[in-house]
């Protein structure tokens, strides 16, 4: 059995069904996918599902991908936003808001306007959450968290057990790390422990993608609000290009709106302006520089090497960041680079599948193994590893 056959045969083993709340897990109306076949990560996670759905769709599991989207719509309607995952312990934070893009992916396959109309209201509701709860004076958005001082202090204690961090007021530091958990990059050197001070470049590009997806949906449904969404997208594009592009380095970076400076770390987040078509064409050199900084022998490292080791840093190779990079390169005409990175990731998964008989949450971009920097171990995983693998394999085969 090869990795592709393993994935196709095991999608069904990542499906769960729970109609009612229980054991701290949220009930969902439809069957849903979780990242692992068993044990660890046994809930539906938000941004994981975007990349999982990519693999489901290209392997003709469109109904399951649609169920995932309908479940997220259900949670948005229930809570006013999509939590980090379908577990009550995740209330208080979200994750990168890919819902609008996920809706468009499914609609492109099923072409059901009645369904599109029903889920559009959830896009509006989620967008309102990000604009009301996660806005900053710069005009761009940030990651945050809705927690008490005690919850933040307790979380900071837990973080200190996982990573090396400076001594700070526990409630303030805990809020920053809750925000970092909301980013999906828990944890990273990108924000220097001050995530709430930053306008993350990836978040704002994803919101731009949401605005464009919503505009497309409005045009499909004949709604006059398409122009409103288009204007929002154009405004955000200008802000990302003016605030997040570091002219000295010629790279897109996270913007600290309090100090009016950029993150010192080049990471795979710098690919998002190209993935989401936010970057100006004349800034294509920033894409080349980002690739040059992060491409290792076997794959991409999540971020440049720093003094401290972080899970979302050197030398770890994460599935979603490879998906984003490949399509970023493709979007801006760097087709040969895109194909090379796609082949690197597919080969990385293939070789480790041959050795271990499984897929893994993360890999080591420098050694090509599963000896990744990890704060909780490196679990066997389907989820976005499978989704990215199938998507990039399809990308290679259609070139």
């Amino acid at each position: 059995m090869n990795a592709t056959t393993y994935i196709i045969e095991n999608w069904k083993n990542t499906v769960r069904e729970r109609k009612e709340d229980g054991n701290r897990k949220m009930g969902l109306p439809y069957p849903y996918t979780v990242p692992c076949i068993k044990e660890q990560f046994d809930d539906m996670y938000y941004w994981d599902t975007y990349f999982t759905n990519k693999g489901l769709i290209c392997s003709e599991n469109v109904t399951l991908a649609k169920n995932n989207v309908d479940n997220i719509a259900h949670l948005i309607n229930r809570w006013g936003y999509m939590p980090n995952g379908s577990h009550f312990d995740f209330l208080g934070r979200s994750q990168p808001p890919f819902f609008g893009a996920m809706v468009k992916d499914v609609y492109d396959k099923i072409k059901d306007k009645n369904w599109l109309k029903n889920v559009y209201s959830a896009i509006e509701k989620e967008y309102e959450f990000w604009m009301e709860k996660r806005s900053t004076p710069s005009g761009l958005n940030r990651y945050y968290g809705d927690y008490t001082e005690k919850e933040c202090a307790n979380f900071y204690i837990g973080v200190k057990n996982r990573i090396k961090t400076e001594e700070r007021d526990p409630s303030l530091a805990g809020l920053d790390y809750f925000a970092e958990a909301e980013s999906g990059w828990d944890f990273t050197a990108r924000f220097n422990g001050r995530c709430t001070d930053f306008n993350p470049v990836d978040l704002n590009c994803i919101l731009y993608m949401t605005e464009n997806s919503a505009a497309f949906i409005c045009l499909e449904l004949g709604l006059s609000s398409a122009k409103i969404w288009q204007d929002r997208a154009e405004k955000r594009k200008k802000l990302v290009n003016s605030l997040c592009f570091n002219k000295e380095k010629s790279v897109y970076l996270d913007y600290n709106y309090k100090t009016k400076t950029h993150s010192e770390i080049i990471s795979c987040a710098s690919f998002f302006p190209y993935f989401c078509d936010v970057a100006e064409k004349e800034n294509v050199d920033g894409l080349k520089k980002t690739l040059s900084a992060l491409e290792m022998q076997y794959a991409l490292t999540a971020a440049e090497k720093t003094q401290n080791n972080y899970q979302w840093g050197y030398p770890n190779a994460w599935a979603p960041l490879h998906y984003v990079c490949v399509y970023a390169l493709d979007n801006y005409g760097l087709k040969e680079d895109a194909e090379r990175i796609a082949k690197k990731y597919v080969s990385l998964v293939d070789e480790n599948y041959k050795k271990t008989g499984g897929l893994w949450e993360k890999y080591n971009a420098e050694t090509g193994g599963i000896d990744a920097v990890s704060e909780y171990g490196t679990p066997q995983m389907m989820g976005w590893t499978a989704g990215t693998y199938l998507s990039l394999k399809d990308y290679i085969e259609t070139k």
Side-chain angles (χ1 to χ4, degrees):
M1 185 185 296
N2 59 27
T4 301
T5 304
Y6 173 83
I7 293 168
I8 299 303
E9 291 187 0
N10 277 286
W11 277 133
K12 64 182 181 296
N13 294 320
T14 68
V15 178
R16 306 288 184 271
E17 191 163 8
R18 177 183 290 273
K19 298 284 188 179
E20 305 294 333
D21 296 343
N23 296 323
R24 304 293 296 161
K25 296 179 183 292
M26 297 176 189
L28 295 169
Y30 303 100
Y32 57 93
T33 58
V34 302
C36 299
I37 293 173
K38 58 183 179 179
E39 298 171 359
Q40 206 163 350
F41 303 127
D42 198 32
D43 300 289
M44 185 177 73
Y45 288 80
Y46 189 5
W47 79 308
D48 298 56
T49 304
Y50 172 73
F51 299 96
T52 301
N53 268 12
K54 292 289 187 181
L56 289 172
I57 289 170
C58 76
S59 58
E60 304 302 325
N61 284 281
V62 178
T63 299
L64 188 50
K66 177 180 175 293
N67 286 346
N68 284 336
V69 174
D70 285 333
N71 285 322
I72 292 173
H74 168 81
L75 291 175
I76 291 171
N77 288 324
R78 179 177 181 180
W79 301 111
Y81 66 98
M82 173 59 195
N84 184 138
S86 59
H87 197 288
F88 283 93
D89 291 351
F90 294 139
L91 286 176
R93 67 179 184 268
S94 185
Q95 269 195 335
F98 278 104
F99 178 64
M102 292 168 68
V103 168
K104 187 175 182 301
D105 284 348
V106 170
Y107 176 72
D108 285 344
K109 285 292 183 180
I110 67 172
K111 299 296 183 183
D112 184 339
K113 289 190 177 181
N114 287 328
W115 175 81
L116 192 64
K117 185 177 180 181
N118 288 334
V119 294
Y120 171 66
S121 61
I123 294 176
E124 291 182 300
K125 186 173 290 188
E126 183 190 42
Y127 186 78
E128 185 177 327
F129 163 81
W130 284 96
M131 298 311 294
E132 288 188 359
K133 301 286 190 180
R134 303 292 191 261
S135 292
T136 71
S138 71
L140 293 177
N141 296 74
R142 66 175 172 178
Y143 290 114
Y144 204 66
D146 299 290
Y147 295 95
T148 65
E149 287 189 2
K150 183 178 180 180
E151 287 172 325
C152 289
N154 288 338
F155 190 63
Y156 177 56
I157 292 168
V159 170
K160 284 177 67 179
N161 291 330
R162 286 175 63 176
I163 64 172
K164 184 178 179 181
T165 181
E166 64 179 305
E167 291 293 335
R168 291 176 58 200
D169 179 311
S171 61
L172 294 177
L175 181 57
D176 275 313
Y177 285 113
F178 267 131
E180 214 163 290
E182 183 168 83
S183 80
W185 290 56
D186 43 338
F187 295 100
T188 175
R190 285 170 57 187
F191 311 115
N192 196 28
R194 301 291 198 283
C195 187
T196 61
D197 293 352
F198 280 87
N199 297 137
V201 64
D202 48 353
L203 168 62
N204 284 283
C205 291
I206 295 166
L207 286 170
Y208 172 82
M209 192 160 59
T210 297
E211 290 157 347
N212 276 331
S213 295
F216 166 82
I217 290 166
C218 288
L219 291 172
E220 285 290 289
L221 297 176
L223 302 176
S224 59
S225 45
K227 181 65 166 58
I228 295 172
W229 287 109
Q230 289 167 345
D231 289 345
R232 288 168 175 167
E234 188 58 31
K235 179 181 177 182
R236 187 179 300 277
K237 181 176 182 176
K238 288 178 180 177
L239 284 171
V240 169
N241 279 292
S242 65
L243 297 179
C244 295
F245 189 71
N246 184 298
K247 292 181 180 178
E248 184 179 341
K249 293 184 177 180
S250 297
V251 173
Y252 287 92
L253 295 167
D254 304 308
Y255 177 71
N256 188 318
Y257 69 91
K258 290 188 176 179
T259 63
K260 295 181 171 54
T261 59
H262 291 104
S263 171
E264 296 179 356
I265 305 297
I266 295 177
S267 74
C268 285
S270 298
F271 289 124
F272 275 79
Y274 304 94
F275 175 66
C276 300
D277 294 314
V278 174
E280 300 291 357
K281 295 297 182 183
E282 61 265 27
N283 292 339
V284 70
D285 280 350
L287 178 54
K288 296 174 184 176
K289 287 187 176 183
T290 302
L291 181 62
S292 177
L294 302 176
E295 185 178 359
M296 301 288 120
Q297 182 177 353
Y298 293 96
L300 298 171
T301 179
E304 292 180 299
K305 193 172 187 177
T306 58
Q307 278 190 320
N308 294 334
N309 291 328
Y310 292 90
Q311 207 168 228
W312 286 85
Y314 182 89
N316 287 3
W318 291 85
L321 305 181
H322 286 76
Y323 184 93
V324 167
C325 174
V326 168
Y327 283 94
L329 293 165
D330 187 86
N331 285 346
Y332 283 73
L334 303 178
K335 309 286 187 180
E336 290 183 6
D337 292 319
E339 190 170 354
R340 184 180 69 256
I341 299 301
K343 286 180 177 178
K344 277 193 174 187
Y345 189 75
V346 167
S347 177
L348 182 69
V349 174
D350 279 337
E351 290 305 311
N352 281 284
Y353 176 77
K354 289 176 187 175
K355 293 175 185 175
T356 67
L359 275 60
W360 298 84
E361 184 198 44
K362 50 192 178 285
Y363 299 90
N364 187 315
E366 196 169 50
T367 67
I370 59 173
D371 52 328
V373 173
S374 189
E375 294 145 24
Y376 51 71
T378 299
Q380 281 202 34
M381 197 166 185
M382 285 273 288
W384 60 19
T385 301
T388 296
Y389 173 86
L390 290 181
S391 298
L392 295 188
K393 194 170 182 184
D394 185 64
Y395 176 86
I396 294 164
E397 291 172 354
T398 55
K399 289 291 119 181

